[in-house]
Amino acid sequence: FDSAKVFRVKPQNEKQVNFMRNLATVIQPIDFWYPDSALQIVNQMEVDFLVSADQTENVEALLKDNNIHYEILFQNLQEDIDKQLDNKRNSTC
Amino acid sequence: KHSYTKYNNWPQIYSWITRIARKNPELVSRIKIGNTFENRPIYLLKIGKQRDAKKAIFVDCGIHAREWISPAFCQWFVKEAIRTYGKDSSMKNILDNMNFYIVPLVNIDGYVWSWTQDRFWRKNRSNASSNACVGVDLNRNFDVLWGTVDASKNPCEEVYCGSSPESEPETKAVTTFIHSHLSSIKAYLTIHSYSQMVLFPYGYTYDKVPNYNTLNGLAKGAAKAIASLYGKKYKYGASASTIYPSSGCSDDWAYEQGIKYSFTFELRDKGKYGFLLPESEIKETCQEIMLAVKFLANYILNQT
């Protein structure tokens, strides 16, 4: 998950909903965190999804091209995982 | 090196299950309910004073591998039930008069995979399909309108529902146990993360269940109990309208078996951490959900 990012978007209309549903077919792999899959995306739903490092630029470009506002919940997922696992290692020393 | 305020791996949970049953034989017994696809034993802990109590609540944790806070809660619940029995009159009353059937970790294979190979693994590790993709979403594998609403027949999808209803040994272990104890099980709770919600059937349709008003009132009460501790707001309502429609989920299945008090808990948080809820939040999360479970247990005990 090095440099993998987690995005959050909130589709504002049906066009954006369809875009998000199709994104998973264009960009792979995408791991939908919420909802469980692209199938379940509806208008005004907050959608969280994980994108691998090599695809983050493409995804950002596509979101911008389609005027979809986004925020990035995790800039580098591996760093956050490492933080937790470091705690674990410390606690079991 | 098991800890209630850290995430524990499967060997730690396994030895904890063994130890807690051995140390507390008057309150806890360990029952093997099946094996996983990779042949790991699935254990259930029966908590309660009554050998043949007329009422019971079934709780499962860890259907989805990456939702680590879920099994952490089941471990916390068992610990707190034992610790407070004899100190807390409410807990004593509950455990004197009803049993809890707790499955601390349903999807063991997936959980092991999430610890060792892929932190965000969701499904089990079944490779029974001819497709190269591995895993079935156990929470789409139950036999209620299976594979019809927002569940995928594609083994590569995260919501792949399996080759048939209850095709997975983990699902079968849960359903077989519940079937054989159906006369006593009054409530079913399944613990997931994230998004902070208390949900109840239906998920496969927008139709309201016959006892909608009761379940909605109980979910509201549970959410209120949760908020009373640290102010965390949990949404509540029927699954389809509150989260999204889906079929083959365990809470709908339990409801259709006649367990009319069926709830799904989506624990902290609302997306800031997602499946990476920090260990520093385990304690508070478990404490607040404990209040909700006790609230529901008291209702089941007194009103059903």
Side-chain angles (χ1 to χ4, degrees):
Chain A
F1 303 108
D2 246 347
S3 300
K5 287 182 167 57
V6 176
F7 291 80
R8 170 170 289 172
V9 301
K10 192 173 182 179
Q12 300 297 312
N13 52 48
E14 285 307 314
K15 190 180 165 196
Q16 293 187 356
V17 168
N18 288 332
F19 170 82
M20 287 306 304
R21 286 179 180 164
N22 289 328
L23 189 62
T25 62
V26 181
I27 303 284
Q28 289 186 331
I30 283 188
D31 177 9
F32 281 92
W33 282 21
Y34 187 93
D36 291 334
S37 81
L39 301 168
Q40 295 145 344
I41 297 169
V42 294
N43 197 11
Q44 296 296 326
M45 173 187 271
E46 283 189 336
V47 180
D48 301 345
F49 57 98
L50 166 64
V51 180
S52 60
D54 60 331
Q55 295 289 358
T56 54
E57 278 186 22
N58 289 340
V59 168
E60 288 194 64
L62 285 167
L63 291 171
K64 282 175 184 162
D65 286 350
N66 286 274
N67 293 319
I68 298 178
H69 174 74
Y70 65 92
E71 59 179 307
I72 296 177
L73 300 174
F74 291 96
Q75 287 285 353
N76 183 343
L77 197 55
Q78 192 59 48
E79 282 181 3
D80 289 277
I81 295 171
D82 289 343
K83 278 182 209 161
Q84 277 197 20
L85 295 178
D86 282 347
N87 289 341
K88 169 59 69 181
R89 275 195 289 275
N90 290 340
S91 72
T92 53
C93 277
Chain B
K1 297 293 184 283
H2 178 275
S3 167
Y4 291 104
T5 53
K6 307 275 180 200
Y7 294 117
N8 296 292
N9 62 24
W10 168 239
Q12 289 168 324
I13 296 173
Y14 176 84
S15 57
W16 168 82
I17 290 171
T18 308
R19 192 168 59 250
I20 204 143
R22 194 192 310 131
K23 280 188 171 178
N24 302 277
E26 73 289 352
L27 267 184
V28 182
S29 52
R30 189 186 76 164
I31 301 165
K32 185 182 166 191
I33 61 169
N35 287 298
T36 67
F37 183 83
E38 293 177 340
N39 215 29
R40 294 183 175 90
I42 304 172
Y43 287 114
L44 173 149
L45 291 171
K46 180 181 176 183
I47 320 287
K49 201 71 177 169
Q50 288 292 319
R51 187 169 289 273
D52 297 308
K54 288 176 183 166
K55 292 180 182 177
I57 296 178
F58 185 97
V59 185
D60 64 47
C61 289
I63 279 185
H64 289 143
R66 60 193 180 184
E67 299 169 12
W68 286 6
I69 186 60
S70 171
F73 171 72
C74 266
Q75 292 160 69
W76 183 278
F77 179 87
V78 173
K79 180 260 295 185
E80 278 297 290
I82 295 166
R83 187 185 71 80
T84 58
Y85 181 82
K87 293 178 186 169
D88 169 12
S89 59
S90 163
M91 182 61 85
K92 185 172 189 316
N93 184 43
I94 291 169
L95 295 182
D96 278 347
N97 293 290
M98 69 193 303
N99 290 320
F100 281 88
Y101 294 121
I102 311 279
V103 184
L105 185 55
V106 174
N107 181 8
I108 302 166
D109 298 346
Y111 189 74
V112 169
W113 195 255
S114 75
W115 270 83
T116 57
Q117 302 294 327
D118 179 350
R119 174 64 185 80
F120 299 108
W121 190 257
R122 166 187 172 87
K123 302 184 282 185
N124 74 350
R125 293 296 301 167
S126 160
N127 62 2
S129 81
S130 54
N131 194 291
C133 292
V134 169
V136 170
D137 180 351
L138 295 177
N139 208 27
R140 298 290 182 283
N141 190 234
F142 287 79
D143 190 8
V144 52
L145 282 190
W146 172 85
T148 55
V149 184
D150 284 344
S152 176
K153 299 273 176 76
N154 176 358
C156 298
E157 294 277 351
E158 291 284 44
V159 288
Y160 174 49
C161 56
S163 56
S164 60
E166 299 185 14
S167 59
E168 303 311 295
E170 295 88 350
T171 315
K172 201 76 184 170
V174 169
T175 58
T176 302
F177 181 87
I178 289 179
H179 263 152
S180 62
H181 295 76
L182 210 46
S183 60
S184 65
I185 296 174
K186 303 298 177 195
Y188 170 83
L189 311 180
T190 184
I191 312 296
H192 288 254
S193 75
Y194 58 96
S195 65
Q196 296 186 188
M197 293 179 185
V198 183
L199 305 168
F200 54 85
Y202 293 117
Y204 65 82
T205 171
Y206 287 110
D207 291 351
K208 287 182 176 178
V209 290
N211 62 339
Y212 174 89
N213 288 340
T214 304
L215 294 190
N216 197 51
L218 286 170
K220 183 180 180 180
K224 195 176 170 187
I226 290 167
S228 71
L229 199 55
Y230 297 111
K232 288 292 176 189
K233 289 183 179 168
Y234 277 55
K235 284 174 75 176
Y236 61 91
S239 291
S241 55
T242 308
I243 184 165
Y244 40 73
S246 54
S247 62
C249 293
S250 64
D251 52 355
D252 279 352
W253 176 84
Y255 189 87
E256 296 294 58
Q257 302 311 301
I259 303 170
K260 296 303 180 192
Y261 302 92
S262 177
F263 297 92
T264 296
F265 283 81
E266 297 281 355
L267 306 192
R268 289 190 190 183
D269 70 330
K270 296 178 93 170
K272 182 179 176 187
Y273 301 112
F275 305 110
L276 296 178
L277 186 71
E279 290 179 327
S280 59
E281 294 208 24
I282 293 175
K283 183 179 176 182
E284 287 191 2
T285 305
C286 293
Q287 285 176 324
E288 66 196 12
I289 300 304
M290 193 80 195
L291 294 181
V293 174
K294 283 177 74 177
F295 166 78
L296 293 173
N298 276 315
Y299 179 89
I300 299 296
L301 195 56
N302 299 319
Q303 305 293 328
T304 67

